[in-house]
Amino acid sequence: MEIPENESFRDSIGTLTEDGKRAWVYPKKPSGKFYEYRKIVSYVLLLFLIGAPFIKINGNQFLMFNILERRFNIFGFPFWPQDFHLFVISMIIGVIFIALFTVSFGRIFCGWICPQTIFLEMVFRRFEYWIDGDRNKQRKLDNQAWNAEKIRKRLLKWSIFLIISFIIANVFLAYLIGSDKLLQYVTEGPLEHTGTLFPLIIFTAVFYFVFAWFREQVCIIACPYGRLQGVLLDDKSIIVAYDHKRGEGENGRKKFRKDEDREALGHGDCIDCLQCVHVCPTGIDIRNGTQLECVNCTACIDECDHIMESINLPKGLIRYASEDEIEKKEKFTVTPRMKGYIAVLIILTGVLMGMMSLRNDVEATVLRLPGQLYEHKEGNIISNVFTYKLINKTTKTIENVSFKLRKYKGEVILVSNSNTFIVPEQGLAEGTLFIEIDKKELKGDKNKLMIEVYSGDELIETTTVNFLGPRSYH
Ligand code: SF4
Ligand code: SF4
């Protein structure tokens, strides 16, 4: 028999009223096996999110996204503007990894790992349950007049939300400008650094707005990843799904009545208690099938399992399952599409590792001074002038740096009083140099020279330049 379906839920998102206003969601406090697992995962991730900017590996911040200075550290590995290609490949690997995971396991990232879900469900919402109470109490408080109780609870909740938003904004800033700078600004006093204080206030306001008011709307209308679900998911993807075969039976779902033989009456196991809807933080009914709003948070699985247990039916009416598993009882298999993603992932990871192993800690660029050709000097010497730039990507100062020519007999003369210089940690050294070569050594008007960069006696980098000379030599 065809399942009678009311498709009107597809016409609008679950958090809008018919006249287009925001329908505030008061989700019931979740409880159950998955919620407990999610709590553990979220504690670990919260520790990681807050701690990552303060952890250092070889002096490099573990994670940093300094957009202004275009310096990024990923897992303690520093990416400079010169390593932009490596950074882009890493980002593509990240995106393909998430796509592979989504194709295989739906929005598992949203429900378990996304910072938005973790902060909202595991931090802000839990304070809300503690202060305002569960679903019904929250609704009642919202609708009641402003009396002493409401003012007290609102002030307490909003103050706590503001403090947490401020903490998150500081952590966010540590990712952007580096934890050292943040701590320095804090100790020197924020008024000394109003240029940073201002963004900090804006970030705090944005986080407050997102977690106190905008909430699930981020996942539903703002997050681009959520929008991708339509193209990434297929019937083989494992998602949080309602087993409509079992739940609806021959004659559809029906309220529970004691001592009634539902099987004989042809009704499914769903007793239409609506608990899965009440617990949903995005305000949808999972029984309508996969929906854009579902963040796979598993709250409805736990809730339905409680109900099934209470009426002595097997758990798992809502569970992690693919559409094919529910419809055709097919088990999970690795599809050609997944194999394609895995292949691309392996290739890109190989490329990235190869490129990273070839990457130098020091990068030298020597460029001809614009508009200069060559100079003929006494003793048949040809001189060219260049500018140099040395980037030190390490956290140690490189001392005693000098240049030497490979193959050619000639001299490299720095336009400074010394023959050597230093390149500061995570910094650069720039200057001008002359290269002087005996005319007899040159093989044409354009000569490719290889320049070796030494720190003491250790060769740390090589680079090439074009050395110009006269057209005829003999
Ligand atoms: S919680 Fe389970 S039984 Fe209750 S309405 Fe949802 S699917 Fe049906
Ligand atoms: S439908 Fe279930 S899994 Fe999806 S968001 Fe709602 S409660 Fe979470």
Side-chain angles (χ1 to χ4, degrees):
M1 184 202 130
E2 281 281 301
I3 301 164
E5 241 188 319
N6 176 4
E7 296 277 326
S8 65
F9 69 91
R10 296 201 194 280
D11 298 340
S12 66
I13 55 173
T15 48
L16 280 185
T17 59
E18 273 183 6
D19 48 0
K21 294 213 178 88
R22 169 90 176 270
W24 192 261
V25 185
Y26 301 92
K28 187 178 169 201
K29 189 174 179 202
S31 65
K33 183 177 81 181
F34 282 106
Y35 190 59
E36 290 307 312
Y37 290 154
R38 280 177 61 218
K39 271 196 211 162
I40 296 169
V41 172
S42 63
Y43 296 151
V44 174
L45 286 176
L46 278 171
L47 266 180
F48 178 78
L49 276 173
I50 295 168
F54 300 94
I55 299 170
K56 290 205 171 160
I57 291 186
N58 294 331
N60 294 313
Q61 189 167 313
F62 191 64
L63 281 178
M64 184 173 77
F65 305 94
N66 192 335
I67 298 163
L68 288 182
E69 290 175 19
R70 288 182 294 150
R71 281 172 50 202
F72 304 93
N73 290 359
I74 296 181
F75 301 131
F77 189 91
F79 290 89
W80 282 68
Q82 290 73 12
D83 302 320
F84 194 65
H85 55 294
L86 297 179
F87 184 70
V88 170
I89 296 175
S90 312
M91 288 295 114
I92 296 173
I93 289 176
V95 169
I96 296 177
F97 186 73
I98 290 179
L100 170 68
F101 240 74
T102 312
V103 169
S104 319
F105 305 111
R107 282 177 90 166
I108 198 161
F109 172 83
C110 304
W112 291 78
I113 299 166
C114 175
Q116 160 74 15
T117 312
I118 288 181
F119 278 115
L120 178 59
E121 301 303 326
M122 297 297 171
V123 181
F124 287 86
R125 204 120 39 203
R126 287 177 72 188
F127 275 106
E128 194 162 69
Y129 289 128
W130 173 60
I131 297 164
D132 292 353
D134 209 343
R135 173 184 162 81
N136 291 334
K137 284 191 177 157
Q138 284 183 19
R139 195 196 293 270
K140 196 172 148 227
L141 192 71
D142 247 9
N143 294 332
Q144 84 185 32
W146 283 94
N147 57 12
E149 183 205 9
K150 186 163 173 171
I151 293 172
R152 181 176 50 80
K153 285 188 171 173
R154 282 291 182 266
L155 275 181
L156 178 62
K157 185 169 88 173
W158 292 341
S159 311
I160 291 177
F161 280 10
L162 197 63
I163 292 168
I164 303 171
S165 301
F166 180 70
I167 294 171
I168 301 174
N170 273 278
V171 175
F172 187 61
L173 207 59
Y175 278 102
L176 288 185
I177 63 169
S179 52
D180 287 346
K181 247 189 204 163
L182 178 79
L183 294 176
Q184 181 200 334
Y185 290 178
V186 171
T187 37
E188 287 173 2
L191 291 178
E192 294 287 309
H193 302 278
T194 42
T196 310
L197 181 65
F198 187 61
L200 182 70
I201 293 169
I202 304 242
F203 292 153
T204 306
V206 169
F207 285 124
Y208 184 84
F209 167 76
V210 165
F211 292 114
W213 190 79
F214 203 49
R215 299 192 159 189
E216 74 290 336
Q217 301 297 307
V218 172
C219 317
I220 299 174
I221 57 178
C223 175
Y225 175 60
R227 300 254 139 200
L228 275 177
Q229 305 310 304
V231 273
L232 290 175
L233 297 182
D234 59 24
D235 287 349
K236 300 201 181 320
S237 310
I238 293 187
I239 49 168
V240 173
Y242 166 65
D243 186 339
H244 55 89
K245 289 250 169 196
R246 184 185 145 196
E248 303 298 317
E250 284 286 303
N251 295 325
R253 60 188 80 140
K254 185 179 176 287
K255 294 265 179 230
F256 181 72
R257 275 220 198 108
K258 231 179 164 191
D259 304 327
E260 188 177 59
D261 189 350
R262 293 176 73 89
E263 224 178 318
L265 290 167
H267 291 297
D269 285 354
C270 174
I271 59 165
D272 209 12
C273 63
L274 293 178
Q275 292 308 304
C276 52
V277 183
H278 293 163
V279 83
C280 177
T282 62
I284 58 165
D285 186 341
I286 186 73
R287 298 170 303 166
N288 289 330
T290 316
Q291 289 150 81
L292 169 89
E293 295 96 323
C294 175
V295 290
N296 277 220
C297 72
T298 68
C300 55
I301 300 185
D302 278 336
E303 204 58 30
C304 190
D305 278 352
H306 290 321
I307 302 295
M308 292 295 111
E309 237 175 353
S310 69
I311 55 171
N312 279 328
L313 284 174
K315 292 189 209 173
L317 178 56
I318 302 174
R319 63 178 183 275
Y320 274 120
S322 69
E323 182 58 24
D324 276 357
E325 191 203 319
I326 291 168
E327 277 286 343
K328 308 177 198 160
K329 303 262 174 279
E330 269 178 17
K331 286 283 162 213
F332 176 74
T333 49
V334 180
T335 61
R337 192 179 175 196
M338 292 175 202
K339 284 180 191 160
Y341 281 122
I342 293 170
V344 176
L345 210 53
I346 291 173
I347 292 169
L348 279 179
T349 311
V351 170
L352 181 69
M353 283 166 79
M355 287 173 114
M356 287 203 349
S357 65
L358 291 176
R359 193 191 89 138
N360 248 353
D361 282 344
V362 180
E363 204 158 300
T365 338
V366 181
L367 293 171
R368 166 174 305 290
L369 203 63
Q372 300 291 317
L373 287 173
Y374 62 88
E375 198 187 331
H376 215 130
K377 293 179 82 174
E378 240 176 68
N380 242 358
I381 298 292
I382 304 294
S383 167
N384 280 201
V385 60
F386 299 89
T387 57
Y388 66 85
K389 187 169 172 182
L390 248 79
I391 294 171
N392 177 2
K393 300 173 185 174
T394 70
T395 50
K396 288 192 189 99
T397 301
I398 304 176
E399 316 242 3
N400 224 358
V401 179
S402 62
F403 296 105
K404 278 183 193 144
L405 290 180
R406 187 180 281 181
K407 283 201 213 147
Y408 281 87
K409 276 200 197 94
E411 263 191 283
V412 181
I413 303 157
L414 299 178
V415 185
S416 64
N417 294 332
S418 160
N419 282 334
T420 60
F421 57 95
I422 60 156
V423 193
E425 53 174 87
Q426 302 212 347
L428 58 88
E430 290 177 287
T432 309
L433 58 84
F434 288 96
I435 297 179
E436 295 186 350
I437 299 178
D438 196 314
K439 194 171 156 189
K440 288 198 291 282
E441 289 275 321
L442 301 173
K443 295 181 185 71
D445 55 346
K446 272 189 192 155
N447 302 270
K448 207 170 199 112
L449 305 187
M450 185 161 280
I451 299 178
E452 296 174 333
V453 185
Y454 283 85
S455 167
D457 291 333
E458 188 196 347
L459 178 66
I460 51 171
E461 165 73 323
T462 53
T463 184
T464 52
V465 290
N466 271 323
F467 187 89
L468 300 182
R471 214 169 269 272
S472 129
Y473 313 110
H474 304 292

